[in-house]
Amino acid sequence: MQNEEQEKIETWVKAAADFHGHLGPFLVLGVRMGLIGLRELQTSRGDLKLHATAILERAVPFTCTIDGIQIVTQCTMGNGRLQINNTKNRFAARFQLNQKRRVTVTLTPARFEELKNALPKTARSYKNIQLAKRIAFLPERELFTVEKK
Ligand SMILES: [Zn+2]
């Protein structure tokens, strides 16, 4: 991964952890999904036409991802530009600018299983922080599939 891209991820992960209250792998996934969404749609944070949908089970720690998406994209529950599609056994985020331009970023099923099995019981544990850091540094293609329309 390019240095610049990695620095961007790290900067946003710090901001997200501050907002969210702790650092964990699902928060980092949200940051990375949000950044991919912005890049693929060639837009930037705060675009009022941008809408996000988090496709995931509405339970912690999966919902930690939402805070990562919100801080990176400024699509929030509060401003009505973020929705949750409560879905078991899938973990994805969709970003949409209009009917024609949208991108779906999906965590690979193998990685999703791996993460679910690796999660420690306590959110603030050392292991959770280690997992988060690993997710922050893994190459994008080892985490996600990206479908553009
Ligand atoms: Zn969390």
Side-chain angles (χ1 to χ4, degrees), residues 20-27 60-65 67 123 128:
H20 183 67
H22 69 100
L23 176 61
F26 283 94
L27 182 70
V60 174
F62 312 118
T63 46
C64 296
T65 299
D67 282 344
N128 211 32

Side-chain angles (χ1 to χ4, degrees), residues 61-80:
F62 312 118
T63 46
C64 296
T65 299
I66 293 164
D67 282 344
I69 293 172
Q70 290 191 120
I71 203 154
V72 163
T73 63
Q74 277 186 347
C75 293
T76 72
M77 298 287 284
N79 66 28

